[in-house]
Amino acid sequence: MHKAFQFRMYPKQEQATIINKTIGSSRFVFNHFLAKRKEIYASDKKSLGYNDCAKQLTELKKEFVWLKEVDSTSLQ
């Protein structure tokens, strides 16, 4: 027999703000590098790897300072 547990979380306002910033920043970074990958593939027929994206992520954080507000591992 399998058991399942269902939980409901009620974050405080500050926690909800941090969660929303993390989700939004992750979405921004994903879409940014997806566009880069499509652009590079269309022009050179090559793919942009994880290491290349990780190197560019530090430069992206310098350009968009608000990316430093969230946890760095969530952006990777």
Side-chain angles (χ1 to χ4, degrees):
M1 180 161 77
H2 298 285
K3 288 186 178 182
F5 297 97
Q6 189 173 8
F7 296 97
R8 173 99 182 175
M9 295 183 353
Y10 297 100
K12 297 177 184 175
Q13 184 62 35
E14 182 181 334
Q15 293 170 329
T17 303
I18 292 172
I19 291 169
N20 290 334
K21 283 183 180 182
T22 302
I23 292 170
S25 298
S26 298
R27 183 183 309 137
F28 174 79
V29 169
F30 177 81
N31 288 335
H32 175 78
F33 286 114
L34 179 64
K36 284 243 184 217
R37 283 180 183 215
K38 285 183 177 181
E39 179 184 321
I40 290 174
Y41 187 78
S43 63
D44 300 337
K45 300 292 184 201
K46 292 184 180 180
S47 179
L48 187 64
Y50 170 77
N51 292 330
D52 298 327
C53 292
K55 289 176 187 175
Q56 292 180 12
L57 182 60
T58 57
E59 296 172 10
L60 192 65
K61 283 185 180 181
K62 292 177 184 174
E63 185 177 344
F64 299 102
V65 181
W66 49 270
L67 287 175
K68 293 182 181 180
E69 294 177 8
V70 298
D71 187 35
S72 62
T73 55
S74 65
L75 297 179
Q76 293 176 355

